[in-house]
Amino acid sequence: MNVTILTVGTMGDVRPFVALGIGLKQAGHGVVLATGTNFEKFVTEHGLSFAPMQADFQAIIQSDEGKELLRGSPIAAYRALRTTMPALVRRILDDSWSAAQGADCLIFHPKVVGGWDIAASLGIPAFESLYFPMLVPTSQFPFPILPFRNLGGSLNRLSYRLNSLLTAPLRKTVDRWRIEVLEQTERSRPGKARGESNPVLHAFSPNVIEPPNDWPATVHTTGFWFLDEPAYTPPPQLVAFLESGPPPVYVGFGSMASQEPEEVSRLVVEAIRNTGNRGLLATGWGGIGPVEASDDLFCVDAVSHDWLFPRMSAVVHHGGAGTTAAGLRAGKSSAICPYTADQPYWGRVVADLGVGPRPIPQRRLTPERLARAIEQATGDLAMRGRAERMGERIRSENGVARAVEIVESTVDRSGAA
């Protein structure tokens, strides 16, 4: 079976799909992963065939417009929907169509808004896949980007209509592309609502988010898709720092770019030192500015979370799904400081599980608030115990293997391969 995987975004949107691609390849299937050209080396180094998409979200995030979007500016969001996004979506659609040729099965991130249309045009089974429960309506909790834990059964389900509203400004671009390229006038989205008859792969742990009992049988919660890299070799200076004292607190904001990275660095360093902890700071794509190394502080650009987090006393991060999953699997308490999108949701999930303090939005981040969160994450023995037990449960799962089983059985039943 030949499988094409389509995903776009930041590293957090690509890494889990690379893990799935490796699992499919190890099961004997051909895999092509299509994503932004800035991830070509990352994909090919893991032994997968690469198909390019002209969609460099890293460059977008690091632009002035992208930084405004991360700050939650409605003006920037409106401007992007009118100017940047239509051309970007058209390029993604064209590149996705090209990458899908010859596929027997399609697996796609919802940012690839033409995924169902492509699968229908090719006559192949498809799976919409995400590490966040926003695709399928349920009466048990509301659309997770909303800042509410429960609106009540009918309102919870109704709130998922926001999903269609979020992509509505781009529908003209998708409709025009479908007519021009696929020569189809009707949208290919089976079922009355997304997910009710569409196969969905949820790449998160059922121990972290319990699957609602009103999701249909075509919706699968597999466990997180971890990309393990046992051959990872850390920098010698990092190893020396870790061995020179007690486990430090990790602080990193992943792919998020800040308009004032030096100020964020100052704030973080002050908070860590006020708690008496050592700190390891990850600069990522510009969320934190560089910090001069000292006996109690070490700064890295990027490092394998799977290797690093078990060696930390606690982790502080932005709440991206991948970083959250890595912290949970390591059994460490997590203090989440979200920017946007699904990050506030993951902050609530971690706090509700009792494995981390209440989230601190980036706009409300101060040395005092961060210091209190670090003290709780490192000093609350009950919280640390819950985090350790959660880590044990997650480490017992194999989300990639479960997803491969589901893909294989679904395609077999369809008779497509």
Side-chain angles (χ1 to χ4, degrees):
M1 174 173 65
N2 294 318
V3 182
T4 294
I5 299 174
L6 308 173
T7 184
V8 291
T10 64
M11 177 62 81
D13 299 303
V14 176
R15 189 178 180 88
F17 286 93
V18 170
L20 178 62
I22 292 172
L24 287 162
K25 183 177 179 180
Q26 290 174 342
H29 306 295
V31 179
V32 173
L33 194 148
T35 190
T37 54
N38 52 312
F39 289 110
E40 179 175 4
K41 182 179 179 182
F42 179 71
V43 172
T44 57
E45 281 182 342
H46 286 90
L48 301 179
S49 297
F50 174 79
M53 287 192 191
Q54 305 303 312
D56 187 346
F57 278 72
Q58 179 177 349
I60 294 172
I61 285 176
Q62 292 182 324
S63 69
D64 291 340
E65 180 183 49
K67 292 175 182 178
E68 281 294 312
L69 284 169
L70 292 178
R71 290 169 61 91
S73 167
I75 295 175
Y78 176 77
R79 186 187 307 120
L81 287 171
R82 292 290 301 273
T83 58
T84 306
M85 293 307 295
L88 177 64
V89 168
R90 179 60 191 246
R91 293 197 300 271
I92 291 172
L93 291 167
D94 287 337
D95 292 340
S96 297
W97 175 243
S98 177
Q101 302 306 304
D104 302 307
C105 174
L106 194 68
I107 300 171
F108 66 94
H109 189 293
K111 285 180 185 174
V112 181
V113 289
W116 291 118
D117 296 310
I118 292 171
S121 182
L122 295 174
I124 60 176
F127 299 83
E128 193 168 19
S129 304
L130 195 60
Y131 27 79
F132 179 53
M134 65 174 280
L135 298 176
V136 188
T138 176
S139 61
Q140 294 185 23
F141 52 77
F143 190 62
I145 289 179
L146 294 174
F148 310 108
R149 285 174 170 79
N150 198 338
L151 296 171
S154 59
L155 286 179
N156 283 342
R157 179 171 285 275
L158 183 65
S159 69
Y160 285 79
R161 293 188 179 181
L162 285 172
N163 209 5
S164 297
L165 293 176
L166 290 174
T167 58
L170 304 173
R171 289 313 317 177
K172 286 185 178 179
T173 301
V174 179
D175 290 344
R176 186 180 305 114
W177 172 83
R178 189 191 318 103
I179 293 169
E180 293 175 357
V181 176
L182 305 185
E183 299 181 350
Q184 296 176 352
T185 57
E186 297 294 326
R187 298 174 185 172
S188 300
R189 195 177 299 281
K192 294 181 180 179
R194 297 178 72 184
E196 290 192 353
S197 62
N198 302 350
V200 170
L201 294 174
H202 278 145
F204 51 77
S205 169
N207 283 297
V208 176
I209 302 171
E210 184 177 359
N213 55 25
D214 59 351
W215 277 352
T218 52
V219 177
H220 308 277
T221 302
T222 65
F224 293 113
W225 298 346
F226 289 111
L227 178 58
D228 292 319
E229 300 183 82
Y232 174 76
T233 303
Q237 299 91 336
L238 171 58
V239 175
F241 174 75
L242 294 177
E243 292 177 347
S244 68
V249 173
Y250 169 92
V251 183
F253 299 135
S255 302
M256 301 296 100
S258 172
Q259 291 182 320
E260 300 175 333
E262 292 80 12
E263 174 61 20
V264 175
S265 297
R266 184 200 65 77
L267 181 159
V268 168
V269 169
E270 181 178 342
I272 292 173
R273 286 183 166 154
N274 285 347
T275 67
N277 283 281
R278 301 202 308 157
L280 192 150
L281 278 60
T283 57
W285 287 0
I288 298 177
V291 174
E292 186 175 351
S294 62
D295 290 341
D296 63 342
L297 291 173
F298 192 86
C299 191
V300 296
D301 178 32
V303 64
S304 168
H305 291 164
D306 300 329
W307 180 89
L308 183 68
F309 282 3
R311 294 166 169 81
M312 300 294 101
S313 60
V315 293
V316 178
H317 58 88
H318 59 300
T323 310
T324 301
L328 291 170
R329 183 167 71 154
K332 302 299 178 180
S333 301
S334 298
I336 293 181
C337 306
Y339 287 77
T340 186
D342 61 333
Q343 298 161 14
Y345 171 78
W346 286 112
R348 295 196 301 272
V349 166
V350 165
D352 289 347
L353 289 170
V355 298
R358 293 179 60 185
I360 308 170
Q362 284 284 334
R363 64 181 181 278
R364 300 186 62 233
L365 196 61
T366 65
E368 295 76 20
R369 290 191 177 110
L370 183 56
R372 285 195 294 270
I374 291 173
E375 287 173 343
Q376 186 178 8
T378 57
D380 187 327
L381 296 182
M383 178 178 289
R384 294 180 63 173
R386 287 189 293 269
E388 290 170 2
R389 291 189 293 275
M390 177 60 72
E392 292 172 357
R393 291 195 292 271
I394 292 174
R395 290 193 295 273
S396 71
E397 302 170 350
N398 191 331
V400 167
R402 178 62 185 140
V404 171
E405 291 175 0
I406 293 166
V407 170
E408 289 177 333
S409 62
T410 303
V411 175
D412 284 345
R413 288 196 302 272
S414 74

